[in-house]
Amino acid sequence: MLFTSVFTVAALFAAQAAAHGAVTSYVIDGTTYPGYEGFSPSSGPKTIQRQWPDYNPTTSVNDKKVMCNGGTSAPLTATAKAGSKVKAIWKQWTHQQGPVMVWMYKCAGEFSGCNGSGKQWFKIDQEGMTAPPLSGNSWGTGKVYKNLYWESTIPASLAPGNYLIRHELLALHQANAPQFYAECAQLVVSGSGSASPSGAYLASIPGYASQSDPGIMVDTYGSKATTYTPPGPAVWTG
Ligand SMILES: *[C@@H]1O[C@H](CO)[C@@H](O)[C@H](O)[C@H]1NC(C)=O
Ligand SMILES: [Cu+2]
């Protein structure tokens, strides 16, 4: 009996974990950095990724957890030159409808005091639906499903400093029931750039769009829409 129930719990847990995913490592300027794979507090390798409490999707853009899946700190940082590529790697990902959005946030000082507050998040990359239908797999997250990675370029003109980089998969496979999966990592950006995005490129997280935004509340199977616009501001490329 005991074995049965332990097995059942383990099986349930595995099934739940298998249904979701998170960035599990990063390759930046040729260096591989482990991501976070456990539930905090972690006993795994130290990581640049802010440690989150569970794998469950966040279901509201207004939930605080949507920022970094609840992660608030990480022991390590990665260095990256402005203009270089950041490759995020997932060990597993199971949903094929919905956009990929990659965001950054400039910390005012040390990472330990950097909480992502204020209207200062900006997108450096995104991919929504590249061909209809909404229920198909021509989506940014469809590529992650197939390739298990997403590569973005840090804008070459971006001013150096301490930044959070946030990889967000917005899963739309359940009609009108969005699921946000986002993790943040700590990046020290170097270079001689001096640019930073302003005004229309900036958003607060949580709440970077309305929960009823047509890019968030999507009738994936009922709607005949042939185009899709990811929620939030336009991408800033420097
Ligand atoms: C976040 O950090 C800012 C300073 O950068 C501070 O003013 C604010 O109170 C902090 N917010 C929370 C919720 O800790
Ligand atoms: Cu899932």
Side-chain angles (χ1 to χ4, degrees), residues 67-91:
M67 187 196 288
C68 300
N69 195 20
T72 56
S73 66
L76 302 182
T77 61
T79 53
K81 291 189 271 302
S84 62
K85 288 187 161 67
V86 174
K87 184 177 185 179
I89 297 168
W90 286 257
K91 276 199 176 153

Side-chain angles (χ1 to χ4, degrees), residues 127-173:
E127 186 166 308
M129 181 175 74
T130 53
L134 293 170
S135 58
N137 58 11
S138 299
W139 285 92
T141 56
K143 283 191 184 164
V144 174
Y145 175 89
K146 188 163 151 258
N147 303 326
L148 290 175
Y149 73 82
W150 191 264
E151 194 167 67
S152 315
T153 300
I154 300 170
S157 61
L158 184 66
N162 291 344
Y163 288 85
L164 301 178
I165 186 165
R166 174 177 179 273
H167 286 84
E168 176 176 28
L169 306 182
L170 170 50
L172 302 173
H173 59 288

Side-chain angles (χ1 to χ4, degrees), residues 182-219:
E183 297 84 36
C184 302
Q186 301 181 162
L187 271 190
V188 181
V189 174
S190 63
S192 55
S194 59
S196 58
S198 60
Y201 292 105
L202 300 172
S204 302
I205 301 178
Y208 65 80
S210 152
Q211 181 74 357
S212 60
D213 187 285
I216 291 179
M217 207 47 76
V218 180
D219 184 357

Side-chain angles (χ1 to χ4, degrees), residues 104-108 116-122 197 202-205:
M104 292 181 76
Y105 174 94
K106 189 170 190 193
C107 299
S117 66
K119 195 179 170 188
Q120 291 175 59
W121 287 92
F122 57 97
L202 300 172
S204 302
I205 301 178

Side-chain angles (χ1 to χ4, degrees), residues 46-65:
K46 286 198 164 123
T47 167
I48 63 170
Q49 189 179 99
R50 294 199 156 185
Q51 298 173 11
W52 29 268
D54 61 59
Y55 259 123
N56 301 332
T58 308
T59 57
S60 169
V61 72
N62 298 311
D63 186 337
K64 254 183 82 179
K65 195 166 176 272

Side-chain angles (χ1 to χ4, degrees), residues 16-21 55 57 93-95 171 173 179 181:
Q16 185 185 49
H20 309 307
Y55 259 123
W93 176 249
T94 50
H95 309 304
H173 59 288
Q179 299 185 352
Y181 298 86

